[in-house]
Amino acid sequence: MESNPLNREYYVFNSISCFHMCPGSICIKANAQSCGECIQVAESCGWCSDEVSFLSSGESKSARCDDLQSLKDRQCPEDKIENPRGAIVIDKDTPVTNRKKDSKEKLKPEEITQIQPQKLTLTLRSGEPQTFSLKFKRAEDYPIDLYYLMDLSFSMKDDLENVKNLGTDLMAEMEKITTDFRIGFGSFVEKTVMPYISTTPARLINPCTGNQNCTSPFSYKNVLKLTDKGDEFNRLVSQQQISGNLDSPEGGFDAIMQVAVCEEQIGWRNVTRLLVFSTDAGFHFAGDGKLGGIVLPNDGKCHLENNMYTMSHYYDYPSIAHLVQKLSDHNIQTIFAVTDDFQPVYKELQNLIPKSAVGTLSSNSSNVIKLIIDAYNSLSSEVILENSRLPEGLSITYKSICKNGVEGTGENGRKCSNISIGDEVSFQISVESQKCPSHGKSEVIKIKPLGFTEEVEVVLKFICDCECSAEGELNSQRCHEGNGTFECGACKCNAGRIGRLCECSKDEVRTEDLDANCRKDNGTDICSNNGDCVCGTCECKKRENPKEVYSGTYCECDNFNCDRSNNKLCGGHGVCECRKCICDANYTGSACDCSLDHSTCLAKNGQICNGRGTCECGICKCTDAKFQGPTCELCPTCPGVCAEHKDCVQCRAFDAGEKKETCERDCSYFQLITVKDSSKLPQPTDQIFPLTHCKERDANDCWFYFTYAIRNSTKEVYVVEKLECPPGPDIIPIVAGVVAGIVLIGLALLLIWKLLMIIHDRREFAKFEKEKMNAKWDTGENPIYKSAVTTVVNPKYEGK
């Protein structure tokens, strides 16, 4: 097979072009040596079987395995890309049964379908999930088998009385649910060895104390196999007697195991199977048998003789896990009818046993019918899917679409709740394989709803090789004297042979003669320390990142050791070829970090770097240090444009200002154009380049107007030829105003003085009036007048 170096160069370029955006290819990492190995790596992997021009110098045949897009990019013809896909074939797809309870048509249990489809064949490729839909519908009037398993230890004496009429009463209630109902009865006590029971002869005959008449102890007894005769149930149960034992826990697990596995003796049909377990005590489980010297684990097989469990003294109690397995295998749903004292214990047991329920039994079992109906409704309203053991490397996921469109994923994807009779739900089931099985190319798994006998058979077939391998040429001469099979465009070497063409034995891989062919320029490094010398040819090492590639006859080149800019290989503007950047158009430099595009240097006025610098690698280098910014437009220390050019405009246009004496030397850098008035000045909307309008004032407080702009590197100033000076003051109005102001101020002062005097006089007059009113003397008499008459009285005169 000849190599095409142009192909190799194309691949290197393409690899680098997606270096920063393509995900790493696990296909290359796998180092697959054949098409079969390649397609098992991942669903995205393909194998190029083109034997003519695909591989280049230094490439291993494992380079044929890559993601599909990479193979296309390397110009592998599409008809040469091996990429087999999985498929789904539905082998049996009987529709779910639709019928009403009152329908005249009576179907046999095996004629009723609740799950669809019933059989599928999945063809799986590693890493490619296959998803199919499974439909479940609860059929109306579905047959039910119910087996009542009762604890007959002495404490259940009053309960037995209430159960004696259970058969006919329960059948009457169940007729509301189904017209095909059967009922059976069994009882249990305990293992018939010490210390569970007393083994004295008298106690073996009557284990009860006092005058109580009890039957001999037993482990489990099948009293009545499943029947549709309720009166037969009542008759046989009425004949049962209470027994007794010594310890509190009972041997109920032995009884449950026998009920589950003895299908023929119990009479189970392939219908809904209910087991009602009634007790007022706890339970023994695996390991407890050691107390009685029983060490053999329960074998999970049927040991009923004459409807009696005969191996209770030989096998230990079953473990909970063993019990769960058997109940599930035989599709039995368990209802624990226990007294209130043992509710917590059996609630925990319910959590371990799928499709089980716990009901509170009254002290005398008077509520047992209601308990059974409620528990059945609870169990039947939920569907839970389970699958058989999966082959190694296989995974399965569920998604439920339940009532009212409610979806569930993860563990909730296996189940739907609150399902009524006639409701239809569906499940999306995805099966994915990670590898081919070691023992064969097909497997079978089964999926079923817990507690139901119907199941879906899924046949799994695995794609472990490519179609082209069937056309392989055994011991082909194209594989170095027949040392391999030529298939899918490459040699698949026989045991002990290696090399692209199987040309070497493993014992010859590192001989000195062959190594000499792998040294560049007779140097000391084999394959430039970047590869292995295989049969005198360098096979370059693979990097952890599959887009990083060693190449060349001596693996002397790579595509990841080029200069970087901004932490990007070749600045992100080129490709790395043999440790040298090949830049894209408009880029140059060792790291392709120098742009030849000047568009980034254009200022708002359309000039390169605003006329104040040069554009180097797409970045402005300002010639004057005071200018800054991407396009040299910013000058934090500069005055404004108007203030900067004010003095030069003033000296050149009006022969005045601070630069009048140096005007010719300092102010000849712009072209001056005069206009008659400000309306003639250029406007921003009239120009294709930015300009600035300025209004400045001179020493005489006169205003002058001008514009400043840069057109094609020429600085232009338009200025209004006349100054705008303010008019002089009018003296007469000013003097008149001052005199009038003085007169007005004088009048105002006189008026204020007059007002103050009036206020003062009024206050004095009011004060006088007040004092006048407060005078004490009479105004009709002279206060200083004295009378001239003097009256003298004789003190001795007595009036005689």
Side-chain angles (χ1 to χ4, degrees):
M1 295 176 290
E2 297 180 358
S3 64
N4 185 349
L6 294 177
N7 253 355
R8 179 62 183 171
E9 289 177 9
Y10 175 85
Y11 174 62
V12 171
F13 273 90
N14 187 269
S15 297
I16 303 306
S17 67
C18 71
F19 182 82
H20 295 287
M21 64 190 79
C22 297
S25 174
I26 60 174
C27 311
I28 295 177
K29 289 183 182 179
N31 198 29
Q33 297 297 309
S34 67
C35 186
E37 291 181 19
C38 177
I39 62 172
Q40 292 183 51
V41 175
E43 67 163 326
S44 59
C45 296
W47 176 272
C48 183
S49 60
D50 181 17
E51 58 185 273
V52 179
S53 59
F54 183 74
L55 295 182
S56 62
S57 176
E59 275 193 297
S60 168
K61 59 186 174 184
S62 63
R64 292 181 178 277
C65 183
D66 206 341
D67 61 86
L68 301 177
Q69 187 58 47
S70 296
L71 292 177
K72 293 177 182 178
D73 292 342
R74 291 187 60 183
Q75 298 179 343
C76 180
E78 288 195 20
D79 60 338
K80 294 293 184 179
I81 297 177
E82 298 294 326
N83 180 36
R85 313 308 296 179
I88 299 176
V89 176
I90 298 177
D91 302 312
K92 186 177 180 182
D93 194 29
T94 304
V96 292
T97 302
N98 291 303
R99 68 166 186 151
K100 300 297 182 181
K101 180 183 173 184
D102 53 0
S103 174
K104 295 180 180 180
E105 180 187 10
K106 296 299 179 183
L107 300 177
K108 297 179 181 180
E110 58 270 18
E111 295 175 336
I112 299 175
T113 302
Q114 297 185 108
I115 193 167
Q116 179 188 0
Q118 295 78 39
K119 184 177 180 180
L120 306 94
T121 299
L122 305 186
T123 303
L124 299 177
R125 176 182 168 179
S126 295
E128 180 188 20
Q130 296 295 331
T131 302
F132 63 93
S133 180
L134 187 148
K135 184 189 300 182
F136 178 85
K137 181 177 182 179
R138 277 191 64 192
E140 294 192 35
D141 197 25
Y142 195 71
I144 298 174
D145 285 353
L146 184 146
Y147 191 86
Y148 196 91
L149 183 60
M150 185 174 183
D151 176 9
L152 285 188
S153 58
F154 187 76
S155 60
M156 294 286 287
K157 181 179 179 181
D158 54 345
D159 299 80
L160 181 60
E161 293 299 321
N162 285 304
V163 175
K164 289 179 178 179
N165 295 321
L166 177 65
T168 52
D169 294 344
L170 183 58
M171 292 197 78
E173 286 294 325
M174 293 302 289
E175 283 182 357
K176 300 176 182 177
I177 299 174
T178 177
T179 58
D180 189 357
F181 176 71
R182 300 201 309 172
I183 189 171
F185 184 82
S187 58
F188 66 91
V189 181
E190 187 55 275
K191 287 186 181 294
T192 55
V193 296
M194 281 288 289
Y196 311 110
I197 66 168
S198 175
T199 56
T200 61
R203 292 297 184 199
L204 286 174
I205 297 174
N206 184 2
C208 301
T209 59
N211 297 323
Q212 299 292 335
N213 185 21
C214 297
T215 190
S216 299
F218 58 92
S219 176
Y220 162 66
K221 178 172 29 176
N222 178 28
V223 178
L224 175 66
K225 70 182 299 184
L226 292 163
T227 178
D228 56 0
K229 298 179 177 59
D231 52 354
E232 181 70 8
F233 180 95
N234 295 347
R235 184 182 66 81
L236 289 176
V237 173
S238 298
Q239 298 173 3
Q240 302 306 304
Q241 288 183 286
I242 293 296
S243 186
N245 61 323
L246 296 179
D247 62 343
S248 176
E250 315 295 1
F253 276 15
D254 273 341
I256 293 177
M257 178 62 76
Q258 293 303 301
V259 172
V261 299
C262 298
E263 289 195 351
E264 184 178 350
Q265 290 86 338
I266 302 299
W268 291 117
R269 299 177 297 171
N270 285 330
V271 297
T272 299
R273 299 176 175 181
L274 299 179
L275 170 61
V276 180
F277 182 84
S278 175
T279 184
D280 63 350
F283 48 83
H284 284 296
F285 52 89
D288 288 353
K290 292 180 180 179
L291 295 173
I294 304 172
V295 295
L296 284 177
N298 194 289
D299 65 351
K301 296 180 180 179
C302 182
H303 296 288
L304 289 184
E305 294 182 11
N306 297 322
N307 287 323
M308 297 290 291
Y309 179 40
T310 59
M311 302 296 286
S312 66
H313 64 286
Y314 190 75
Y315 289 116
D316 192 6
Y317 300 100
S319 66
I320 295 176
H322 196 186
L323 211 57
V324 169
Q325 177 193 348
K326 292 300 179 181
L327 289 171
S328 176
D329 289 346
H330 295 273
N331 306 305
I332 296 174
Q333 304 177 60
T334 311
I335 300 172
F336 294 105
V338 297
T339 55
D340 191 60
D341 294 340
F342 287 91
Q343 280 285 310
V345 175
Y346 284 90
K347 284 286 187 183
E348 291 297 324
L349 185 60
Q350 177 195 8
N351 295 333
L352 300 175
I353 302 179
K355 293 295 282 186
S356 62
V358 177
T360 303
L361 191 67
S362 62
S363 59
N364 59 1
S365 296
S366 59
N367 67 330
V368 67
I369 293 180
K370 183 178 185 305
L371 185 153
I372 292 172
I373 298 297
D374 291 345
Y376 169 75
N377 289 332
S378 174
L379 289 172
S380 61
S381 67
E382 182 177 55
V383 57
I384 303 175
L385 295 186
E386 68 167 359
N387 52 264
S388 59
R389 185 176 179 181
L390 299 177
E392 185 180 358
L394 196 75
S395 63
I396 185 168
T397 57
Y398 295 85
K399 178 184 177 182
S400 59
I401 299 94
C402 304
K403 196 173 180 180
N404 299 323
V406 177
E407 296 184 356
T409 56
E411 282 303 309
N412 290 329
R414 290 176 173 266
K415 60 185 179 181
C416 283
S417 302
N418 300 320
I419 302 175
S420 304
I421 293 176
D423 286 344
E424 183 176 292
V425 296
S426 61
F427 298 86
Q428 296 292 327
I429 304 175
S430 294
V431 181
E432 182 176 352
S433 172
Q434 297 301 328
K435 64 177 184 178
C436 284
S438 56
H439 57 276
K441 292 188 177 181
S442 65
E443 294 277 357
V444 176
I445 62 172
K446 294 185 177 180
I447 301 172
K448 68 174 184 177
L450 279 173
F452 294 86
T453 57
E454 296 178 68
E455 61 186 15
V456 179
E457 181 181 345
V458 182
V459 179
L460 305 176
K461 295 183 178 180
F462 300 89
I463 302 175
C464 298
D465 221 330
C466 300
E467 293 182 5
C468 58
S469 62
E471 303 173 359
E473 182 183 342
L474 291 173
N475 301 320
S476 173
Q477 292 302 311
R478 288 191 280 185
C479 299
H480 191 71
E481 301 177 356
N483 286 313
T485 300
F486 189 81
E487 62 178 43
C488 302
C491 285
K492 185 177 181 180
C493 299
N494 296 335
R497 303 295 296 186
I498 58 173
R500 185 190 290 185
L501 300 177
C502 310
E503 64 269 32
C504 289
S505 169
K506 287 185 177 180
D507 299 332
E508 302 171 350
V509 173
R510 294 303 305 271
T511 62
E512 289 299 322
D513 291 339
L514 293 176
D515 288 350
N517 295 329
C518 298
R519 294 187 177 97
K520 184 180 180 181
D521 300 329
N522 294 323
T524 58
D525 294 334
I526 295 177
C527 298
S528 307
N529 289 329
N530 296 324
D532 297 318
C533 187
V534 180
C535 301
T537 303
C538 284
E539 289 194 358
C540 302
K541 294 178 181 177
K542 291 181 174 63
R543 300 271 296 178
E544 183 176 351
N545 184 341
K547 298 306 177 185
E548 297 179 356
V549 179
Y550 289 111
S551 61
T553 304
Y554 302 100
C555 304
E556 72 276 14
C557 295
D558 63 59
N559 60 6
F560 54 87
N561 273 323
C562 292
D563 291 341
R564 293 175 179 266
S565 177
N566 293 327
N567 202 30
K568 294 181 179 179
L569 191 69
C570 298
H573 303 299
V575 294
C576 180
E577 182 181 359
C578 205
R579 303 185 180 182
K580 183 178 180 181
C581 285
I582 307 299
C583 300
D584 296 339
N586 290 329
Y587 284 94
T588 186
S590 62
C592 301
D593 54 351
C594 183
S595 174
L596 301 178
D597 183 7
H598 291 174
S599 62
T600 56
C601 296
L602 289 176
K604 294 179 180 178
N605 58 10
Q607 296 187 358
I608 299 294
C609 301
N610 201 32
R612 296 177 177 135
T614 58
C615 186
E616 298 178 9
C617 297
I619 300 174
C620 282
K621 303 291 184 181
C622 303
T623 52
D624 192 334
K626 67 181 180 179
F627 290 101
Q628 301 175 8
T631 54
C632 302
E633 290 181 293
L634 304 177
C635 183
T637 60
C638 295
V641 173
C642 296
E644 181 182 359
H645 303 290
K646 166 189 173 183
D647 293 336
C648 282
V649 172
Q650 190 177 6
C651 79
R652 289 188 59 182
F654 305 106
D655 195 24
E658 296 180 0
K659 292 188 177 182
K660 178 179 178 181
E661 302 299 329
T662 60
C663 189
E664 186 175 350
R665 183 189 68 191
D666 297 339
C667 301
S668 58
Y669 60 86
F670 60 83
Q671 178 182 354
L672 183 68
I673 304 165
T674 58
V675 296
K676 291 186 177 182
D677 54 59
S678 57
S679 63
K680 303 297 183 180
L681 291 173
Q683 300 300 316
T685 55
D686 299 335
Q687 310 299 321
I688 60 173
F689 48 86
L691 60 81
T692 304
H693 276 257
C694 299
K695 178 182 178 182
E696 295 293 334
R697 186 165 56 185
D698 62 11
N700 298 320
D701 288 334
C702 293
W703 296 95
F704 60 95
Y705 299 87
F706 66 93
T707 62
Y708 179 84
I710 301 177
R711 186 206 303 264
N712 299 327
S713 301
T714 301
K715 299 173 182 177
E716 296 180 346
V717 174
Y718 283 77
V719 62
V720 178
E721 61 185 10
K722 292 184 180 181
L723 294 171
E724 187 179 288
C725 297
D730 192 348
I731 302 300
I732 295 176
I734 293 175
V735 172
V738 170
V739 171
I742 293 173
V743 171
L744 290 175
I745 292 172
L747 291 174
L749 291 175
L750 287 174
L751 288 174
I752 292 171
W753 176 80
K754 180 62 176 176
L755 179 61
L756 292 174
M757 290 302 297
I758 292 172
I759 293 172
H760 180 267
D761 288 347
R762 288 183 177 178
R763 285 180 177 175
E764 288 296 327
F765 180 75
K767 184 178 179 181
F768 171 75
E769 288 293 329
K770 184 178 180 180
E771 290 178 350
K772 179 178 178 182
M773 293 297 294
N774 291 335
K776 299 295 185 181
W777 47 274
D778 187 358
T779 55
E781 297 182 0
N782 187 349
I784 61 172
Y785 169 77
K786 291 184 179 181
S787 175
V789 179
T790 302
T791 302
V792 180
V793 178
N794 186 0
K796 292 198 182 273
Y797 176 68
E798 297 179 351
K800 294 181 179 181

